[in-house]
PDB file of all heavy atoms in Angstrom:
ATOM      1  N   GLN A   1       0.897  -1.196   0.025  1.00 87.00           N
ATOM      2  CA  GLN A   1      -0.049  -0.023   0.038  1.00 87.00           C
ATOM      3  C   GLN A   1       0.845   1.170   0.010  1.00 87.00           C
ATOM      4  O   GLN A   1       1.689   1.442   0.935  1.00 87.00           O
ATOM      5  CB  GLN A   1      -0.894   0.068   1.272  1.00 87.00           C
ATOM      6  CG  GLN A   1      -1.929   1.019   1.270  1.00 87.00           C
ATOM      7  CD  GLN A   1      -3.055   0.877   0.267  1.00 87.00           C
ATOM      8  OE1 GLN A   1      -3.415  -0.263   0.042  1.00 87.00           O
ATOM      9  NE2 GLN A   1      -3.563   1.868  -0.378  1.00 87.00           N
ATOM     10  N   ILE A   2       0.712   2.100  -1.093  1.00 83.00           N
ATOM     11  CA  ILE A   2       1.606   3.321  -1.155  1.00 83.00           C
ATOM     12  C   ILE A   2       0.896   4.465  -0.542  1.00 83.00           C
ATOM     13  O   ILE A   2      -0.383   4.540  -0.536  1.00 83.00           O
ATOM     14  CB  ILE A   2       2.138   3.536  -2.534  1.00 83.00           C
ATOM     15  CG1 ILE A   2       0.882   3.850  -3.443  1.00 83.00           C
ATOM     16  CG2 ILE A   2       2.865   2.352  -3.079  1.00 83.00           C
ATOM     17  CD1 ILE A   2       1.337   4.262  -4.919  1.00 83.00           C
ATOM     18  N   ASP A   3       1.629   5.387  -0.101  1.00 78.00           N
ATOM     19  CA  ASP A   3       1.169   6.691   0.604  1.00 78.00           C
ATOM     20  C   ASP A   3       1.409   7.787  -0.454  1.00 78.00           C
ATOM     21  O   ASP A   3       2.526   8.087  -0.770  1.00 78.00           O
ATOM     22  CB  ASP A   3       1.876   6.988   1.795  1.00 78.00           C
ATOM     23  CG  ASP A   3       1.490   8.182   2.517  1.00 78.00           C
ATOM     24  OD1 ASP A   3       0.490   8.818   2.042  1.00 78.00           O
ATOM     25  OD2 ASP A   3       2.035   8.660   3.511  1.00 78.00           O
ATOM     26  N   LEU A   4       0.324   8.367  -1.012  1.00 73.00           N
ATOM     27  CA  LEU A   4       0.436   9.343  -2.048  1.00 73.00           C
ATOM     28  C   LEU A   4       0.460  10.721  -1.462  1.00 73.00           C
ATOM     29  O   LEU A   4       0.476  11.676  -2.201  1.00 73.00           O
ATOM     30  CB  LEU A   4      -0.699   9.243  -3.056  1.00 73.00           C
ATOM     31  CG  LEU A   4      -0.758   7.916  -3.907  1.00 73.00           C
ATOM     32  CD1 LEU A   4      -2.045   7.853  -4.806  1.00 73.00           C
ATOM     33  CD2 LEU A   4       0.464   7.810  -4.715  1.00 73.00           C
ATOM     34  N   ASP A   5       0.426  10.855  -0.183  1.00 75.00           N
ATOM     35  CA  ASP A   5       0.529  12.266   0.379  1.00 75.00           C
ATOM     36  C   ASP A   5       1.903  12.856   0.237  1.00 75.00           C
ATOM     37  O   ASP A   5       2.881  12.110   0.134  1.00 75.00           O
ATOM     38  CB  ASP A   5       0.207  12.161   1.906  1.00 75.00           C
ATOM     39  CG  ASP A   5      -1.253  11.804   2.251  1.00 75.00           C
ATOM     40  OD1 ASP A   5      -2.068  12.027   1.449  1.00 75.00           O
ATOM     41  OD2 ASP A   5      -1.465  11.225   3.426  1.00 75.00           O
ATOM     42  N   PRO A   6       1.928  14.197   0.075  1.00 70.00           N
ATOM     43  CA  PRO A   6       3.224  14.749  -0.133  1.00 70.00           C
ATOM     44  C   PRO A   6       4.121  14.583   0.999  1.00 70.00           C
ATOM     45  O   PRO A   6       3.707  14.281   2.118  1.00 70.00           O
ATOM     46  CB  PRO A   6       2.841  16.235  -0.330  1.00 70.00           C
ATOM     47  CG  PRO A   6       1.529  16.459   0.334  1.00 70.00           C
ATOM     48  CD  PRO A   6       0.852  15.139   0.129  1.00 70.00           C
ATOM     49  N   VAL A   7       5.482  14.852   0.781  1.00 70.00           N
ATOM     50  CA  VAL A   7       6.388  14.733   1.771  1.00 70.00           C
ATOM     51  C   VAL A   7       6.189  15.619   2.969  1.00 70.00           C
ATOM     52  O   VAL A   7       5.881  16.775   2.834  1.00 70.00           O
ATOM     53  CB  VAL A   7       7.887  14.963   1.250  1.00 70.00           C
ATOM     54  CG1 VAL A   7       8.848  14.969   2.456  1.00 70.00           C
ATOM     55  CG2 VAL A   7       8.205  13.988   0.221  1.00 70.00           C
ATOM     56  N   ASP A   8       6.147  15.056   4.222  1.00 77.00           N
ATOM     57  CA  ASP A   8       5.946  15.816   5.412  1.00 77.00           C
ATOM     58  C   ASP A   8       7.262  15.873   6.137  1.00 77.00           C
ATOM     59  O   ASP A   8       7.611  15.051   6.846  1.00 77.00           O
ATOM     60  CB  ASP A   8       4.944  15.159   6.278  1.00 77.00           C
ATOM     61  CG  ASP A   8       4.669  15.918   7.643  1.00 77.00           C
ATOM     62  OD1 ASP A   8       5.250  17.027   7.756  1.00 77.00           O
ATOM     63  OD2 ASP A   8       3.975  15.345   8.516  1.00 77.00           O
ATOM     64  N   VAL A   9       8.011  16.979   5.907  1.00 79.00           N
ATOM     65  CA  VAL A   9       9.364  17.153   6.418  1.00 79.00           C
ATOM     66  C   VAL A   9       9.356  17.030   8.090  1.00 79.00           C
ATOM     67  O   VAL A   9      10.180  16.442   8.704  1.00 79.00           O
ATOM     68  CB  VAL A   9       9.996  18.376   5.991  1.00 79.00           C
ATOM     69  CG1 VAL A   9      11.354  18.592   6.703  1.00 79.00           C
ATOM     70  CG2 VAL A   9      10.217  18.320   4.540  1.00 79.00           C
ATOM     71  N   GLY A  10       8.285  17.717   8.602  1.00 79.00           N
ATOM     72  CA  GLY A  10       8.265  17.806   9.986  1.00 79.00           C
ATOM     73  C   GLY A  10       8.180  16.461  10.690  1.00 79.00           C
ATOM     74  O   GLY A  10       8.840  16.174  11.845  1.00 79.00           O
ATOM     75  N   SER A  11       7.299  15.400  10.123  1.00 80.00           N
ATOM     76  CA  SER A  11       7.309  14.111  10.689  1.00 80.00           C
ATOM     77  C   SER A  11       8.611  13.308  10.612  1.00 80.00           C
ATOM     78  O   SER A  11       8.783  12.394  11.415  1.00 80.00           O
ATOM     79  CB  SER A  11       6.223  13.395   9.997  1.00 80.00           C
ATOM     80  OG  SER A  11       6.523  13.083   8.636  1.00 80.00           O
ATOM     81  N   SER A  12       9.537  13.679   9.691  1.00 82.00           N
ATOM     82  CA  SER A  12      10.746  12.934   9.594  1.00 82.00           C
ATOM     83  C   SER A  12      11.831  13.504  10.419  1.00 82.00           C
ATOM     84  O   SER A  12      12.855  12.904  10.702  1.00 82.00           O
ATOM     85  CB  SER A  12      11.245  12.998   8.187  1.00 82.00           C
ATOM     86  OG  SER A  12      11.648  14.265   7.677  1.00 82.00           O
ATOM     87  N   LEU A  13      11.635  14.749  10.981  1.00 89.00           N
ATOM     88  CA  LEU A  13      12.615  15.400  11.798  1.00 89.00           C
ATOM     89  C   LEU A  13      12.677  14.751  13.242  1.00 89.00           C
ATOM     90  O   LEU A  13      11.613  14.405  13.724  1.00 89.00           O
ATOM     91  CB  LEU A  13      12.321  16.863  11.971  1.00 89.00           C
ATOM     92  CG  LEU A  13      12.527  17.769  10.813  1.00 89.00           C
ATOM     93  CD1 LEU A  13      11.875  19.107  11.065  1.00 89.00           C
ATOM     94  CD2 LEU A  13      13.956  18.009  10.484  1.00 89.00           C
ATOM     95  N   PRO A  14      13.888  14.439  13.701  1.00 89.00           N
ATOM     96  CA  PRO A  14      14.024  13.925  15.071  1.00 89.00           C
ATOM     97  C   PRO A  14      13.684  14.998  16.136  1.00 89.00           C
ATOM     98  O   PRO A  14      13.462  16.156  15.810  1.00 89.00           O
ATOM     99  CB  PRO A  14      15.564  13.582  15.156  1.00 89.00           C
ATOM    100  CG  PRO A  14      16.216  14.473  14.210  1.00 89.00           C
ATOM    101  CD  PRO A  14      15.260  14.702  13.052  1.00 89.00           C
ATOM    102  N   ASP A  15      13.588  14.470  17.265  1.00 92.00           N
ATOM    103  CA  ASP A  15      13.298  15.351  18.471  1.00 92.00           C
ATOM    104  C   ASP A  15      14.422  16.346  18.478  1.00 92.00           C
ATOM    105  O   ASP A  15      15.584  16.102  18.242  1.00 92.00           O
ATOM    106  CB  ASP A  15      13.234  14.604  19.786  1.00 92.00           C
ATOM    107  CG  ASP A  15      12.828  15.455  20.878  1.00 92.00           C
ATOM    108  OD1 ASP A  15      11.587  15.727  21.137  1.00 92.00           O
ATOM    109  OD2 ASP A  15      13.688  15.986  21.596  1.00 92.00           O
ATOM    110  N   ILE A  16      14.135  17.585  18.851  1.00 95.00           N
ATOM    111  CA  ILE A  16      15.124  18.740  18.736  1.00 95.00           C
ATOM    112  C   ILE A  16      16.311  18.408  19.696  1.00 95.00           C
ATOM    113  O   ILE A  16      17.359  18.905  19.447  1.00 95.00           O
ATOM    114  CB  ILE A  16      14.353  20.003  19.092  1.00 95.00           C
ATOM    115  CG1 ILE A  16      15.316  21.228  18.846  1.00 95.00           C
ATOM    116  CG2 ILE A  16      14.066  20.149  20.652  1.00 95.00           C
ATOM    117  CD1 ILE A  16      15.753  21.415  17.398  1.00 95.00           C
ATOM    118  N   SER A  17      16.064  17.597  20.642  1.00 93.00           N
ATOM    119  CA  SER A  17      17.230  17.203  21.604  1.00 93.00           C
ATOM    120  C   SER A  17      18.349  16.487  20.888  1.00 93.00           C
ATOM    121  O   SER A  17      19.435  16.481  21.424  1.00 93.00           O
ATOM    122  CB  SER A  17      16.724  16.328  22.741  1.00 93.00           C
ATOM    123  OG  SER A  17      16.185  15.095  22.201  1.00 93.00           O
ATOM    124  N   LYS A  18      18.123  16.093  19.635  1.00 91.00           N
ATOM    125  CA  LYS A  18      19.168  15.441  18.764  1.00 91.00           C
ATOM    126  C   LYS A  18      20.240  16.496  18.511  1.00 91.00           C
ATOM    127  O   LYS A  18      21.476  16.120  18.243  1.00 91.00           O
ATOM    128  CB  LYS A  18      18.562  14.894  17.563  1.00 91.00           C
ATOM    129  CG  LYS A  18      19.492  14.046  16.686  1.00 91.00           C
ATOM    130  CD  LYS A  18      19.606  12.677  17.455  1.00 91.00           C
ATOM    131  CE  LYS A  18      20.541  11.798  16.840  1.00 91.00           C
ATOM    132  NZ  LYS A  18      20.799  10.569  17.509  1.00 91.00           N
ATOM    133  N   PHE A  19      19.905  17.784  18.560  1.00 94.00           N
ATOM    134  CA  PHE A  19      20.875  18.794  18.151  1.00 94.00           C
ATOM    135  C   PHE A  19      21.227  19.490  19.527  1.00 94.00           C
ATOM    136  O   PHE A  19      20.442  20.084  20.276  1.00 94.00           O
ATOM    137  CB  PHE A  19      20.276  19.870  17.273  1.00 94.00           C
ATOM    138  CG  PHE A  19      19.857  19.126  15.944  1.00 94.00           C
ATOM    139  CD1 PHE A  19      18.648  18.680  15.749  1.00 94.00           C
ATOM    140  CD2 PHE A  19      20.840  19.017  14.892  1.00 94.00           C
ATOM    141  CE1 PHE A  19      18.305  17.993  14.506  1.00 94.00           C
ATOM    142  CE2 PHE A  19      20.561  18.386  13.746  1.00 94.00           C
ATOM    143  CZ  PHE A  19      19.293  17.844  13.566  1.00 94.00           C
ATOM    144  N   PRO A  20      22.610  19.488  19.925  1.00 92.00           N
ATOM    145  CA  PRO A  20      23.000  19.799  21.266  1.00 92.00           C
ATOM    146  C   PRO A  20      22.883  21.332  21.524  1.00 92.00           C
ATOM    147  O   PRO A  20      23.026  22.154  20.656  1.00 92.00           O
ATOM    148  CB  PRO A  20      24.469  19.393  21.279  1.00 92.00           C
ATOM    149  CG  PRO A  20      24.925  19.466  19.746  1.00 92.00           C
ATOM    150  CD  PRO A  20      23.720  19.022  19.043  1.00 92.00           C
ATOM    151  N   VAL A  21      22.492  21.549  22.767  1.00 97.00           N
ATOM    152  CA  VAL A  21      22.615  22.912  23.290  1.00 97.00           C
ATOM    153  C   VAL A  21      24.077  23.207  23.633  1.00 97.00           C
ATOM    154  O   VAL A  21      24.657  22.578  24.458  1.00 97.00           O
ATOM    155  CB  VAL A  21      21.702  23.087  24.551  1.00 97.00           C
ATOM    156  CG1 VAL A  21      21.971  24.460  25.220  1.00 97.00           C
ATOM    157  CG2 VAL A  21      20.268  22.868  24.201  1.00 97.00           C
ATOM    158  N   SER A  22      24.564  24.152  22.937  1.00 98.00           N
ATOM    159  CA  SER A  22      26.057  24.426  23.158  1.00 98.00           C
ATOM    160  C   SER A  22      26.252  25.519  24.250  1.00 98.00           C
ATOM    161  O   SER A  22      27.392  25.463  24.803  1.00 98.00           O
ATOM    162  CB  SER A  22      26.649  24.957  21.881  1.00 98.00           C
ATOM    163  OG  SER A  22      26.058  26.008  21.377  1.00 98.00           O
ATOM    164  N   VAL A  23      25.279  26.217  24.633  1.00 98.00           N
ATOM    165  CA  VAL A  23      25.313  27.146  25.716  1.00 98.00           C
ATOM    166  C   VAL A  23      23.998  27.160  26.539  1.00 98.00           C
ATOM    167  O   VAL A  23      22.894  27.422  25.819  1.00 98.00           O
ATOM    168  CB  VAL A  23      25.646  28.580  25.331  1.00 98.00           C
ATOM    169  CG1 VAL A  23      25.579  29.704  26.589  1.00 98.00           C
ATOM    170  CG2 VAL A  23      26.986  28.758  24.641  1.00 98.00           C
ATOM    171  N   GLU A  24      23.908  26.826  27.720  1.00 98.00           N
ATOM    172  CA  GLU A  24      22.633  26.697  28.458  1.00 98.00           C
ATOM    173  C   GLU A  24      22.355  28.082  28.959  1.00 98.00           C
ATOM    174  O   GLU A  24      23.264  28.804  29.350  1.00 98.00           O
ATOM    175  CB  GLU A  24      22.861  25.773  29.605  1.00 98.00           C
ATOM    176  CG  GLU A  24      22.861  24.188  29.269  1.00 98.00           C
ATOM    177  CD  GLU A  24      21.534  23.697  28.845  1.00 98.00           C
ATOM    178  OE1 GLU A  24      20.540  24.476  28.886  1.00 98.00           O
ATOM    179  OE2 GLU A  24      21.396  22.434  28.593  1.00 98.00           O
ATOM    180  N   ASN A  25      21.092  28.379  29.122  1.00 98.00           N
ATOM    181  CA  ASN A  25      20.529  29.527  29.774  1.00 98.00           C
ATOM    182  C   ASN A  25      20.924  29.559  31.248  1.00 98.00           C
ATOM    183  O   ASN A  25      21.024  28.404  31.781  1.00 98.00           O
ATOM    184  CB  ASN A  25      19.087  29.791  29.573  1.00 98.00           C
ATOM    185  CG  ASN A  25      18.322  28.603  30.020  1.00 98.00           C
ATOM    186  OD1 ASN A  25      18.285  27.584  29.464  1.00 98.00           O
ATOM    187  ND2 ASN A  25      17.508  28.900  31.044  1.00 98.00           N
ATOM    188  N   THR A  26      21.139  30.653  31.945  1.00 98.00           N
ATOM    189  CA  THR A  26      21.449  30.722  33.321  1.00 98.00           C
ATOM    190  C   THR A  26      20.397  31.450  34.247  1.00 98.00           C
ATOM    191  O   THR A  26      20.563  31.596  35.402  1.00 98.00           O
ATOM    192  CB  THR A  26      22.819  31.402  33.546  1.00 98.00           C
ATOM    193  OG1 THR A  26      22.866  32.663  32.996  1.00 98.00           O
ATOM    194  CG2 THR A  26      23.918  30.528  32.892  1.00 98.00           C
ATOM    195  N   THR A  27      19.321  31.858  33.511  1.00 97.00           N
ATOM    196  CA  THR A  27      18.241  32.585  34.224  1.00 97.00           C
ATOM    197  C   THR A  27      16.932  32.056  33.679  1.00 97.00           C
ATOM    198  O   THR A  27      16.727  31.412  32.686  1.00 97.00           O
ATOM    199  CB  THR A  27      18.365  34.044  33.992  1.00 97.00           C
ATOM    200  OG1 THR A  27      18.228  34.358  32.478  1.00 97.00           O
ATOM    201  CG2 THR A  27      19.701  34.602  34.432  1.00 97.00           C
ATOM    202  N   ASP A  28      15.884  32.447  34.427  1.00 95.00           N
ATOM    203  CA  ASP A  28      14.543  32.022  33.977  1.00 95.00           C
ATOM    204  C   ASP A  28      14.068  32.835  32.704  1.00 95.00           C
ATOM    205  O   ASP A  28      13.307  32.282  31.961  1.00 95.00           O
ATOM    206  CB  ASP A  28      13.541  32.254  35.177  1.00 95.00           C
ATOM    207  CG  ASP A  28      13.772  31.322  36.307  1.00 95.00           C
ATOM    208  OD1 ASP A  28      14.385  30.216  35.964  1.00 95.00           O
ATOM    209  OD2 ASP A  28      13.444  31.641  37.479  1.00 95.00           O
ATOM    210  N   THR A  29      14.533  34.073  32.655  1.00 95.00           N
ATOM    211  CA  THR A  29      14.184  34.889  31.494  1.00 95.00           C
ATOM    212  C   THR A  29      15.287  34.814  30.501  1.00 95.00           C
ATOM    213  O   THR A  29      16.402  35.175  30.751  1.00 95.00           O
ATOM    214  CB  THR A  29      13.910  36.378  31.928  1.00 95.00           C
ATOM    215  OG1 THR A  29      12.929  36.446  32.895  1.00 95.00           O
ATOM    216  CG2 THR A  29      13.584  37.295  30.634  1.00 95.00           C
TER     217      THR A  29
END
């Protein structure tokens, strides 16, 4: 069964945690 819907880039993207935080925030704001 083929899926004829167009490519959904968002669904293929991994969780954002895959890309490292190189500097963490130090305050709530």
Side-chain angles (χ1 to χ4, degrees):
Q1 188 71 35
I2 63 175
D3 179 5
L4 296 176
D5 291 336
V7 173
D8 179 8
V9 175
S11 66
S12 70
L13 288 164
D15 187 84
I16 193 61
S17 61
K18 193 71 184 174
F19 299 91
V21 172
S22 53
V23 175
E24 289 282 4
N25 57 291
T26 56
T27 60
D28 292 335
T29 303

